[in-house]
Amino acid sequence: MAGGFVYNAIDQTEVATAEIYGKAIADIMLNDPKVVAITADLAKSTKLGDVLKVCPERVINVGIAEQDMFGVAAGMARAGVIPFVSGFSAFCSMRACDQLHTDICYQNVNAKIVATHSGTSFGQAGSTHHAITDLAITRAMPNLTVIVPADGFETANAVNAAYNTEGPFYIRINRGFDLVLYDNMDYGFEVGKAVTINEGTDITVIACGSCVAQAKKAAEFLKNADGLSVRVLNMHTIKPIDKDAILKAVLETRRIITVEDHLVTGGLGSAVAEVVVDSGKACAFKMLGHKGFAMIGLQEDIMADAGIDANGIIASVREVMNKDFEEDNDWDDEY
Amino acid sequence: MALTKQEWLDLEKKAHELRHLTLQTTVWAGSGHLGGGLSVLDLLTVLYHKYLNIKVDEPKWEDRDRFILSKGHAAIAYAPVLCDKGFNDPEMLKTFNLSGSKMGMHLDSNKVVGVDASTGSLGHGCSIAAGTALAARILGKDYLTYVVTGDGELDEGSNWEAFMTMNQYKLSNCIVFVDRNHNMIDGPTEEVMALEPLADKLTSFGFNTICVDGNNIKELCDAIDVAIERSKEAQAPTCILMDTLKGAGILSVQGDYHCHYMAIDDPTFEKYKAELDQYYADRVARVEKEAE
């Protein structure tokens, strides 16, 4: 379907994000008897195998009942237990939306949600199992911190940060076949602070999750093929979003493209747009993401179809670069 | 601990005072969920004045018993109970439902002292209770978790998910009450969405089900004593199915689904107060008769 920078999930041998989650949570649980893992018949799918080995008595399986799972987590958290709740993103955000809203966020409890199989990472399962509305939903929830790690190392960082920070977290990971972005965990991960993957002065691509590696590939290609200097920001924290990094991009590159494995409605792009509009500063702006229910297939094919893979990003960067947009640094004439 | 006649009379008196305070709060608020508040008020009285192991001066005490009002709209009765107990200034009741008040129609656990869960969206409390009871097991604590759900509320499927969890994990340290007042907003439960045979359904979900008159303090206490005894070892949890009257105590409206939510003018307020007094007199007479 698409050529160039498409990777093949079946062939790739990189670290599985969800497995890193399993290891990270097992380490935490070994050292803290107050931490509990809760699942809804997905202990294996959500990679809790390591946890089951080290402390099976602290893995609570509520069966196929996400609403109950979130209520149970809220009750536990209020009593002083730290629950890590894992389930498919689609059901964490939609089936249990009322419980997420009222039991977890309204009560502001110390519960950690690790939502797996997010975006279109469960590609062939189709739209029932795609989670392309979850960022719009979770971003609208007061008190909730929303993180979209880009690879396994970042997932481990996010899990540790969630454990060490009081309050509810929603960590959105994929099915477990992500490209590796980082060499290790030591790159300065901080909740609410974007990571600059690539310095650049012509345009900024702001990405999250599986789209970060695609943006990085696109930037490398555009540097060589078009001589463009593309800044790539890994906006791993969707809420609270890094306003400083966004405004810096507006001021320094004057062109922004956002890219996410999510609907263009209400997700990363919307969050960035809100910051830009609120600033009163203008820039060329394009949001990449799904426009409706996604096709069925391998995630890489879905991403190509939606224009959120490296090829899609390259095309969009060229489009935006060709737009007639003021290059000067005089802001006074733009209000 | 069997209920003595004096204890029974004391609880009747407290319940009577709280019924008046609930009615008064409804008047201050302009309107309120009087029906479902009064049907469950005897249970609230018994729990807060006989059973709950709580400390008013240390409301977040981690070993305290928990109480979760899953039928959060009964806050019109629950808020008076909490204020009367000393958790919150009774003056707050005069602000119930008013703009800027800490007390809305459904209580916020982060604003009203003594509330263990923010409820209002129906079908949430039992899962929260299950998690609270599981936490006791994980943390090695002996506290008990009490939760009360409405009968119409049982239409929400999430309750039955929670009941399965309670049974699967043998959460006998969680005691479930169903306020079977037989009515919901649109009419009698059996006309809107039939629940019967409810006791059989609860038992089939694993509960040790005890059916009581939920507006009879003696029957409530006897059932709770059984549930507490059963909580001492992990086994099938207890559900106390309380047959109650919606609006219990306001003789001219009790049992009628129209009392679910009421606005009360001054003449009606006086009439209802007199009815509550008559109801109390009848109940004291019953105690005198049955306690002999």
Side-chain angles (χ1 to χ4, degrees):
Chain A
M1 168 165 278
F5 296 94
V6 177
Y7 65 93
N8 187 322
I10 294 168
D11 294 336
Q12 68 94 32
T13 55
E14 281 94 349
V15 183
T17 306
E19 283 171 10
I20 291 268
Y21 161 60
K23 287 182 170 53
I25 184 67
D27 283 344
I28 289 171
M29 287 177 68
L30 261 180
N31 291 310
D32 187 345
K34 286 187 174 178
V35 179
V36 168
I38 315 180
T39 183
D41 191 39
L42 293 171
K44 295 184 183 71
S45 300
T46 54
K47 310 299 180 191
L48 290 176
D50 289 332
V51 179
L52 283 166
K53 280 180 212 157
V54 296
C55 35
E57 74 285 357
R58 277 187 282 134
V59 176
I60 304 296
N61 195 334
V62 298
I64 308 166
E66 290 80 9
Q67 297 177 74
D68 186 42
M69 176 166 72
F70 277 42
V72 165
M76 282 188 170
R78 290 211 76 132
V81 165
I82 305 171
F84 274 77
V85 187
S86 58
F88 289 173
S89 302
F91 312 126
C92 284
S93 61
M94 295 188 290
R95 175 66 71 100
C97 187
D98 191 15
Q99 280 77 8
L100 174 64
H101 169 275
T102 300
D103 303 354
I104 305 285
C105 296
Y106 179 41
Q107 297 199 108
N108 200 16
V109 297
N110 194 28
K112 320 299 178 185
I113 299 147
V114 180
T116 72
H117 298 64
S118 68
T120 56
S121 65
F122 205 175
Q124 290 133 316
S127 290
T128 57
H129 285 60
H130 294 166
I132 57 171
T133 58
D134 65 324
L135 291 179
I137 293 165
T138 56
R139 207 167 69 77
M141 298 279 181
N143 295 330
L144 188 65
T145 297
V146 181
I147 300 181
V148 186
D151 74 356
F153 295 118
E154 192 152 84
T155 300
N157 277 326
V159 167
N160 289 336
Y163 170 65
N164 289 312
T165 311
E166 184 79 14
F169 273 67
Y170 180 86
I171 300 172
R172 179 199 209 240
I173 64 176
N174 288 338
R175 190 182 178 189
F177 306 109
D178 299 309
L179 294 178
V180 172
L181 190 69
Y182 297 105
D183 298 328
N184 53 55
M185 288 170 64
D186 303 322
Y187 56 89
F189 177 88
E190 192 180 339
V191 173
K193 294 290 174 198
V195 179
T196 303
I197 300 298
N198 207 52
E199 293 289 357
T201 53
D202 292 325
I203 186 170
T204 301
V205 177
I206 302 177
C208 65
S210 47
C211 295
V212 180
Q214 302 297 326
K216 185 183 177 192
K217 282 187 180 184
E220 287 164 1
F221 178 89
L222 287 162
K223 180 185 176 188
N224 296 329
D226 298 27
L228 283 173
S229 173
V230 180
R231 181 179 302 181
V232 176
L233 295 180
N234 172 13
M235 193 64 75
H236 52 68
T237 306
I238 307 298
K239 180 168 161 285
I241 199 145
D242 188 347
K243 292 181 183 176
D244 292 343
I246 295 168
L247 294 179
K248 196 161 175 280
V250 172
L251 289 164
E252 294 177 0
T253 71
R254 317 299 303 275
R255 292 178 173 81
I256 289 178
I257 290 177
T258 62
V259 53
E260 61 198 304
D261 186 10
H262 184 273
L263 280 173
V264 286
T265 314
L268 169 69
S270 298
V272 173
E274 287 166 14
V275 174
V276 174
V277 170
D278 192 52
S279 75
K281 309 295 184 188
C283 73
F285 197 83
K286 186 174 175 67
M287 296 195 294
L288 302 183
H290 302 286
K291 307 291 192 296
F293 290 115
M295 60 175 266
I296 292 168
L298 292 173
Q299 187 187 15
E300 53 263 43
D301 293 333
I302 297 173
M303 290 177 76
D305 184 59
I308 58 174
D309 66 344
N311 283 327
I313 295 167
I314 289 165
S316 288
V317 167
R318 286 171 171 165
E319 179 194 327
V320 172
M321 289 307 299
N322 286 329
K323 276 188 178 174
D324 182 22
F325 190 79
E326 222 175 344
E327 296 281 3
D328 67 59
N329 288 318
D330 180 10
W331 290 94
D332 293 337
D333 62 355
E334 293 175 14
Y335 286 102
Chain B
M1 41 185 166
L3 190 71
T4 66
K5 180 182 174 186
Q6 190 56 51
E7 261 188 303
W8 190 355
L9 286 168
D10 290 346
L11 288 168
E12 289 288 359
K13 183 166 182 291
K14 178 55 74 178
H16 173 61
E17 291 166 3
L18 290 168
R19 274 191 291 274
H20 269 287
L21 192 53
T22 298
L23 179 64
Q24 174 68 68
T25 303
T26 308
V27 172
W28 282 326
S31 56
H33 289 100
L34 202 52
L38 289 176
S39 64
V40 81
L41 194 133
D42 286 304
L43 174 68
L44 296 175
T45 305
V46 162
L47 289 178
Y48 277 86
H49 292 276
K50 181 170 168 62
Y51 288 102
L52 289 181
N53 185 24
I54 49 179
K55 295 178 179 177
V56 172
D57 56 356
E58 195 182 345
K60 297 282 186 186
W61 177 41
E62 60 182 29
D63 292 329
R64 71 189 186 281
D65 286 340
R66 268 66 169 183
F67 172 71
I68 294 163
L69 183 74
S70 191
K71 46 174 291 180
H73 55 284
I76 196 77
Y78 188 33
V81 169
L82 291 173
C83 289
D84 172 75
K85 188 75 183 173
F87 281 113
N88 300 275
D89 183 353
E91 287 293 307
M92 280 173 69
L93 295 175
K94 294 178 181 171
T95 71
F96 196 95
N97 269 9
L98 305 185
S99 297
S101 173
K102 287 185 177 178
M103 287 180 172
M105 203 176 290
H106 309 97
L107 299 183
D108 180 342
S109 59
N110 290 326
K111 288 184 179 165
V112 182
V113 180
V115 177
D116 284 318
S118 304
T119 53
S121 178
L122 297 175
H124 288 226
C126 289
S127 291
I128 295 173
T132 310
L134 273 166
R137 292 268 171 80
I138 289 158
L139 299 172
K141 293 189 177 296
D142 294 329
Y143 67 75
L144 294 177
T145 303
Y146 298 86
V147 57
V148 58
T149 165
D151 52 359
E153 183 179 1
L154 291 179
D155 294 354
E156 293 282 6
S158 52
N159 289 295
W160 303 89
E161 294 182 4
F163 295 162
M164 290 173 78
T165 297
M166 290 175 185
N167 183 47
Q168 181 72 21
Y169 287 92
K170 303 299 174 200
L171 298 178
S172 50
N173 58 346
C174 179
I175 300 171
V176 178
F177 298 85
V178 175
D179 181 13
R180 183 77 171 108
N181 63 30
H182 302 272
N183 290 286
M184 48 213 291
I185 295 176
D186 279 347
T189 58
E190 299 315 285
E191 290 179 18
V192 177
M193 183 54 65
L195 290 163
E196 294 299 336
L198 184 54
D200 292 345
K201 287 177 181 171
L202 293 164
T203 301
S204 73
F205 269 70
F207 283 113
N208 174 53
T209 311
I210 304 174
C211 299
V212 301
D213 175 351
N215 298 124
N216 181 318
I217 282 170
K218 175 77 164 57
E219 286 193 29
L220 275 175
C221 291
D222 288 347
I224 295 168
D225 286 341
V226 171
I228 290 174
E229 189 59 34
R230 296 187 77 260
S231 73
K232 290 173 183 168
E233 58 181 283
Q235 57 181 314
T238 300
C239 177
I240 299 174
L241 177 54
M242 308 186 300
D243 192 41
T244 61
L245 276 172
K246 195 150 191 160
I250 302 181
L251 304 173
S252 59
V253 300
Q254 65 182 21
D256 184 339
Y257 73 87
H258 291 99
C259 73
H260 178 86
Y261 193 90
M262 300 179 80
I264 299 167
D265 58 21
D266 286 344
T268 311
F269 182 35
E270 294 305 318
K271 177 172 177 282
Y272 285 180
K273 281 198 287 190
E275 290 180 16
L276 286 181
D277 291 341
Q278 180 60 50
Y279 181 68
Y280 175 55
D282 293 346
R283 285 182 54 150
V284 169
R286 187 168 71 183
V287 175
E288 293 293 347
K289 189 179 172 190
E290 293 182 15
E292 284 170 2

